[in-house]
Amino acid sequence: MTLRQQLLQELRTQDEEAKAAIAKLEDEIQAEYFARSTITGGAFSTTARNACDNRAQIATNRKNALVAKNKWVSEMLSQYGGKE
């Protein structure tokens, strides 16, 4: 295996791991929004809605950070033959 093949394999692995983590975070975000939609009222409904919003925002921030971090890897794979 050449150095180029090894580097591309490592980039593919990193890309797959990042995409899996991003998908998991997207699921978390959707789950939080669903949970928020089920809160209809009660003494602590505002607090519960805010907690759901906060958790969704934290997951969104982490997802955006992963997307930005993985951007370079994706560009390198597309430019230098990620399908080799």
Side-chain angles (χ1 to χ4, degrees):
M1 181 177 269
T2 66
L3 180 59
R4 177 186 165 124
Q5 290 170 331
Q6 290 174 350
L7 288 172
L8 286 173
Q9 182 59 36
E10 180 62 31
L11 288 174
R12 276 188 220 106
T13 302
Q14 288 178 12
D15 189 50
E16 291 170 4
E17 290 172 357
K19 286 180 180 178
I22 290 167
K24 183 179 177 189
L25 286 169
E26 287 174 347
D27 290 343
E28 270 184 50
I29 294 165
Q30 292 303 317
E32 289 299 333
Y33 285 133
F34 176 75
R36 186 186 192 287
S37 73
T38 63
I39 302 168
T40 57
F44 296 105
S45 62
T46 302
T47 303
R49 282 189 205 104
N50 288 339
C52 289
D53 289 340
N54 288 338
R55 287 190 299 266
Q57 186 61 47
I58 289 168
T60 300
N61 291 344
R62 288 190 307 188
K63 181 189 111 175
N64 291 339
L66 274 173
V67 167
K69 183 179 176 183
N70 195 49
K71 183 178 179 183
W72 181 84
V73 172
S74 296
E75 288 175 5
M76 291 300 106
L77 284 173
S78 66
Q79 186 172 353
Y80 293 108
K83 300 295 181 193
E84 214 174 74

